Amino acid sequence: MSVDKNSRYRSSHEWARKDGARYLVGISDHAQEALGDIVFVELPEVGKQLRQGEAFGVIESVKAASDVYMPMSGKVVAVNDAVSGDPALVNREPYAGGWLVAIEASAPAEWDGLLDPAAYEAEAGKE
Amino acid sequence: MPFIPNTGADREAMLAAVGARSVEELFSDIPADKRFPKLGLPEGLSELEALREIEAMASKNEVASKSAWFLGAGAYNHFIPAAVPALASRGEFLSAYTPYQPEVSQGTLQAIFEYQSMAAELFGVDTVNASHYDGATALAEAVIMALNHGGSGRPRIMLPAALHPEYKDVARTYLAAFPVEIEEYAGEPAAAGADARTACVVAAYPDFEGRVRDLSAAAEAAHAAGALFIVSADPIMLGLLKSPGSMGADIVTAEGQSLGNAMNYGGPFLGMMGATQKFVRKMPGRIVGQAADHDGRRGFVLTLSAREQHIRREKAVSNICSNQGLAMLQATVYLEALGKGGLKAVAELCWNKAHYAAGLVAKIPGFAVADGEFFKEFVVKTPVPAASIVEKLERRGVMPGLALSRYYPDRTHELLVCVTEMNTREQIELLARSLEEASV
Amino acid sequence: MNLKPEPLAFELSSPGRVGVALPKSDVPAAPMPKALLRDELKLPELDELTVVRHFTRLSQKNYSIDTEFYPLGSCTMKYNPKANEAAAALPGWKGSHPLASDRCNQGSIELIWKLQESLKSIGGFEAVSLQPAAGAHGELAGVFMIRAYHLSRGDARRVKMLIPDSAHGTNPASCTMAGLTTVTIPSDADGGVDMAALKAACDDTVAGIMITNPSTLGLFERNIEAIARIVHEAGGLVYGDGANMNALTGVLRPADVGIDVMHFNLHKTFSTPHGGGGPGVGMVGAGKALAAFLPGPIAARKGEAYAMEVPARTIGRMKAFYGNFGVLVRAYTYIRMLGAEGLRRVAESAVLNANYLKARLEKAYPVKYPRRCMHEFVAMGNFADGVHTLDIAKRMIDYGFHPPTIYFPLIVPEALMIEPTETESKETLDGFVEVMLKIAEEARTSPELLREAPHATPVGRLDEVAAARCPVLCYRG
């Protein structure tokens, strides 16, 4: 299981990473592996306001469907259309090409409360 | 003991292997004072005796084949070709389970795929599920789909006043736990009055009184208000008239009993449900998709399961976990046995015979037939209470239809008459004569 | 088994082919509204012989109870007696209409009433409704009834339903449809409901508990009476999921141990055919507290005559008309042939057969909860490196057995749920044991035989991922 050094994490296996003025959000390598081959990704509409911990989408594999939760509060400014046509992208590049949404954070200080890569790796490794 | 092959010797040997001294010991976890109750049921009968008793009960019913039958209202007397029961009753179809292991269920799976394909063509939609319990529950769950789609800001559901009353009841039961506003509209669906708080407008095609309308304007009006347009249809009629999908329906439901399933005192029937591509992942019920194995051989498999209860549990689109397998299979055989030409021929016979009947009835003094285009059923205004006409005539081998007072107590002088390809000209003329005699 | 690929009906179609002929119209043609006529109807055009061959060949690609041992746990794949079919095919049933007067339908209503009475006796219920069309449908009705009960007593705070973690997915899904939230109660080390967790969860916001007994682990819930008492004392009601009733007919009446409302699956316990997925019937039975809330109409007897009546405080209709009547005829026929003694023998043999299989298989296939099972047991299939339950299941197909239920319940890893039922002979069970032991051996010595299974079926393992990513759900020419 790989961990991206520039991201921070929620216990529920989502990551956030600063990308210029916005934050990118996705699911971790551990999560994509647990889900298996991803067949469909349901993403919110651009413009939607969400709070930290709120469900923003669903990731489906053949045997499971997982809600994904916002690691930080904010407004959705972009969704990754590439994953609609190629859901396997999330399996292949969970931290890069398989990002899910980009947000304008409304409470950037929430970043400090997220798990750093080492802490996330330790926690997820125990599962 | 019938259907239990194990003999005393078998039981002894098995108990020995299990390490128990008696069968009773296997139930030692059951609270002692509640164990082995006296059931108060009669002793078992042989097959011969059981069938004799059941046959005696069955012969107490009045059946469509023994009368001139003009009663429809949601359960229809249609022709069922012999090929349908002959094929659908094969043990390999009858005694198979839900096709969870696709390699050994290709018979069931391919039949479902063919059903989905033909139903999608009839409905004019992209996807149809493997069926729901009946037309009423399919419609109720279609409404729930619309509510989920529209969100909490759209609690209004517009139902046509001329929708089958039992369908309205079922929708109310299903929606009882949600903060929805169910409203009924009369007349033209395009004038239903959808607004920014409306989740869906439902139209029936034909409606409960047999009336048929072009629904394109209604679909536009619903969409202009941001609401979904749901149509509850008659599948036989769809062999002749435009599909709801072609007129703009987002979700189409129907009662499939008319397709190769007997009336059977109201069940098992067949809930048909389909939708446009946009709603594929939001539709409840099983869906079969095409797939390939590693040798490239084509097969069929249950798919999009992530919506369903066994995976999503409390977040599932619905709790449904079965389909009306055999009823759906009968419909599939029916559609293939009749084919394109045959289904259209059935629909044309229904059209022509119902119009012939309406023409005769309209000429009877004191009787009038409601205005408008209709398919298979029409409402007759009667000079004496319709219920009394029905009561008189059913004893004389003519079942003239449904007295609307059954559902609408103030509509005492209206009779819903149904005419299908099963009714001969002689029977229709007998109906007209009988109505006249019964109205005196 | 028919291994040849069978084309789709659309692919067998040929323009102009005519199937079943219909009579010519004996009435004049009436004008039709041209604007409403369909342009085209792309249904297949087949002659009748082609249709017959097509469906016959398709049927030959199925495993079924009529052809193979089918030990699907929790589904009760017992023999579907042909007498049921003969009874259901009687013209007196097929031609009866639900909206003709009760006078015209005395036979149907009498049968429904007699079946209601029989099921009342079997369950110990005050009243039953046969209207729901499936187990999940009956379950939904039961949850609606519990909700309605609390609302009728002015208690709108009871919105939580307690559900064990071993429960079938329909349980929480039904709660959501009834506007209730789910509180999951863990299982203890013995596979029963964790009593401490249950007590902690019981407060005045609890509507009730949904309990399956025997549980989805095939184990009898030994604390059932205590569970019912705890929930009742907290003001809640007890829903019984009767999917596993085949272990209890004539052995225990669920109402006697505190169940307030319960569904039975007539297509499991009472031998009506599974039909590749339905139709079934989810009878709902209720005790005194909930009887008036049943969905309806239900059958009633008035002197010598029978009538359909609506329960006094009904939750309403669960579907149009009265239920899957054709299925009710089959269930009634079965019950009539078995009688009280037969029904008890059913449970006894079902439980004995399951314990026999467990005794002979548990060394090779570890059973998570080793205590005595009821009519089914749950083993685990991950005892050999690189081999999963899925592989074992697919290998069973090569030996002519339908796989058991796999990966359910969720609380047992690599679960294999085996339910033989009482209609299988000892010879069949012994043959099954031999094969299972052979497969366990193969798992260790030649695992590729399992991983590449099945080998002799019309298709091998299908790419379900591709099917879900780019769904093809209809024939598109």
Side-chain angles (χ1 to χ4, degrees), chain B residues 83 87 114 336-337, chain C residues 6-14 17-19 44-58:
Chain B
L87 293 167
E114 292 181 6
E336 293 181 19
Chain C
E6 179 62 27
L8 290 165
F10 298 88
E11 294 162 340
L12 294 168
S13 172
S14 193
R17 285 266 159 78
V18 167
E45 294 171 87
L46 306 162
D47 59 289
E48 187 169 322
L49 176 55
T50 299
V51 174
V52 169
R53 284 198 180 129
H54 180 61
F55 283 99
T56 302
R57 290 193 293 235
L58 282 179

Side-chain angles (χ1 to χ4, degrees), chain B residues 152-407:
Chain B
S152 52
R154 287 184 179 267
R156 272 179 104 214
I157 313 278
M158 316 290 303
L159 297 181
L163 176 66
H164 198 302
E166 299 200 16
Y167 284 39
K168 293 185 206 171
D169 285 347
V170 171
R172 282 178 210 278
T173 307
Y174 267 67
L175 295 172
F178 303 110
V180 298
E181 298 163 21
I182 304 176
E183 292 174 34
E184 292 187 19
Y185 66 88
E188 172 58 54
D195 63 12
R197 293 179 67 249
T198 305
C200 62
V201 175
V202 174
Y205 179 69
D207 68 19
F208 180 60
E209 297 173 19
R211 220 174 276 116
V212 178
R213 293 183 164 93
D214 187 318
L215 298 175
S216 315
E220 271 165 40
H223 292 148
L228 295 189
F229 188 57
I230 301 175
V231 176
S232 173
D234 177 324
I236 298 276
M237 189 178 89
L238 299 183
L240 181 66
L241 300 188
K242 275 205 167 88
S243 71
S246 70
M247 293 189 285
D250 300 294
I251 307 173
V252 182
T253 62
E255 173 50 68
Q257 175 263 322
S258 299
L259 305 174
N261 284 277
M263 296 193 295
N264 259 321
Y265 198 54
F269 282 6
L270 176 64
M272 303 177 72
M273 182 183 219
T276 57
Q277 187 59 27
K278 193 168 165 194
F279 297 101
V280 165
R281 289 188 139 85
K282 302 298 182 191
M283 207 164 46
R286 294 210 173 111
I287 297 184
V288 169
Q290 193 171 293
D293 69 8
H294 41 238
D295 291 325
R297 286 181 293 192
R298 177 179 69 185
F300 302 95
V301 71
L302 290 178
T303 191
L304 302 188
S305 313
R307 305 155 299 126
E308 295 189 70
Q309 49 74 31
H310 57 289
I311 290 177
R312 285 298 261 160
R313 298 176 71 90
E314 68 274 4
K315 295 191 183 139
V317 168
S318 161
N319 78 337
I320 191 169
C321 84
S322 59
N323 71 327
Q324 294 280 98
L326 279 179
M328 179 223 80
L329 179 65
Q330 282 170 200
T332 311
V333 177
Y334 175 86
L335 287 172
E336 293 181 19
L338 284 183
K340 163 175 158 168
L343 183 66
K344 186 167 180 214
V346 171
E348 282 173 341
L349 284 168
C350 290
W351 181 278
N352 292 327
K353 291 185 186 240
H355 281 75
Y356 179 66
L360 292 188
V361 172
K363 292 204 190 81
I364 308 171
F367 286 76
V369 172
D371 276 339
E373 294 283 18
F374 61 90
F375 177 79
K376 192 162 111 179
E377 294 184 279
F378 53 92
V379 171
V380 174
K381 293 227 169 19
T382 57
V384 300
S388 69
I389 295 178
V390 172
E391 218 207 329
K392 263 195 209 124
L393 293 184
E394 72 178 24
R395 287 172 158 77
R396 290 201 246 150
V398 177
M399 183 63 75
L402 180 79
L404 286 190
S405 51
R406 184 205 178 96
Y407 292 119

Side-chain angles (χ1 to χ4, degrees), chain C residues 90-368:
Chain C
L90 291 170
W93 305 132
K94 290 189 163 297
S96 66
H97 192 291
L99 299 180
S101 65
D102 284 351
R103 187 193 68 82
C104 293
N105 282 310
Q106 285 298 290
S108 296
I109 308 176
E110 182 182 350
L111 185 136
I112 296 177
W113 185 83
K114 283 184 166 158
L115 182 57
Q116 285 173 191
E117 292 298 299
S118 305
L119 293 166
K120 275 165 63 177
S121 303
I122 292 166
F125 305 121
E126 180 75 9
V128 320
S129 170
L130 295 170
Q131 198 189 54
H137 208 211
E139 205 178 282
L140 181 60
V143 175
F144 277 144
M145 286 163 66
I146 290 176
R147 174 183 177 273
Y149 171 86
H150 291 304
L151 288 177
S152 75
R153 301 168 100 236
D155 197 345
R157 286 160 318 139
R158 291 185 181 272
V159 292
K160 289 198 262 180
M161 189 68 83
L162 308 178
I163 301 183
D165 59 6
S166 57
H168 194 277
T170 53
N171 289 182
S174 300
C175 289
T176 302
M177 288 180 84
L180 300 177
T181 54
T182 304
V183 173
T184 307
I185 307 291
S187 301
D188 64 17
D190 242 357
V193 167
D194 183 320
M195 297 303 281
L198 171 68
K199 287 191 189 103
C202 278
D203 62 24
D204 61 4
T205 62
V206 166
I209 186 169
M210 294 180 82
I211 188 125
T212 308
N213 193 12
S215 70
T216 59
L217 298 162
L219 302 170
F220 188 78
E221 186 68 64
R222 287 181 288 207
N223 290 319
I224 182 67
E225 291 185 292
I227 291 169
R229 198 179 49 246
I230 291 167
V231 172
H232 286 149
E233 275 164 14
L237 294 174
V238 181
Y239 178 85
D241 180 324
N244 291 328
M245 193 59 197
N246 210 47
L248 297 180
T249 53
V251 170
L252 175 69
R253 287 184 308 212
D256 289 346
V257 289
I259 308 287
D260 297 298
V261 58
M262 181 164 192
H263 85 266
F264 284 171
N265 303 62
L266 297 196
H267 47 289
K268 293 185 180 186
T269 319
F270 297 98
S271 88
T272 72
H274 285 91
V281 170
M283 173 222 85
V284 195
K288 285 200 171 56
L290 289 175
F293 294 88
L294 283 169
I298 64 177
R301 188 163 72 172
K302 319 224 150 222
E304 289 302 304
Y306 298 89
M308 295 305 288
E309 278 186 355
V310 175
R313 312 182 78 171
T314 186
I315 53 164
R317 294 186 162 279
M318 290 302 291
K319 68 189 291 287
F321 311 127
Y322 311 116
N324 286 342
F325 181 77
V327 178
L328 302 181
V329 175
R330 291 165 166 96
Y332 181 70
T333 308
Y334 178 73
I335 291 173
R336 213 53 197 92
M337 288 190 290
L338 284 174
E341 198 200 327
L343 287 168
R344 177 169 158 175
R345 296 291 206 91
V346 163
E348 288 178 349
S349 296
V351 171
L352 177 58
N353 281 2
N355 276 284
Y356 178 66
L357 285 183
K358 173 168 163 289
R360 296 204 51 202
L361 290 175
E362 60 192 339
K363 272 209 196 61
Y365 292 86
V367 176
K368 184 163 184 197

Side-chain angles (χ1 to χ4, degrees), chain A residues 93-108:
Chain A
E93 298 178 30
Y95 299 111
W99 63 273
L100 299 176
V101 296
I103 61 166
E104 208 174 75
S106 55

Side-chain angles (χ1 to χ4, degrees), chain A residues 80-98:
Chain A
N80 187 358
D81 290 319
V83 307
S84 318
D86 181 15
L89 188 50
V90 180
N91 291 116
R92 296 194 306 269
E93 298 178 30
Y95 299 111

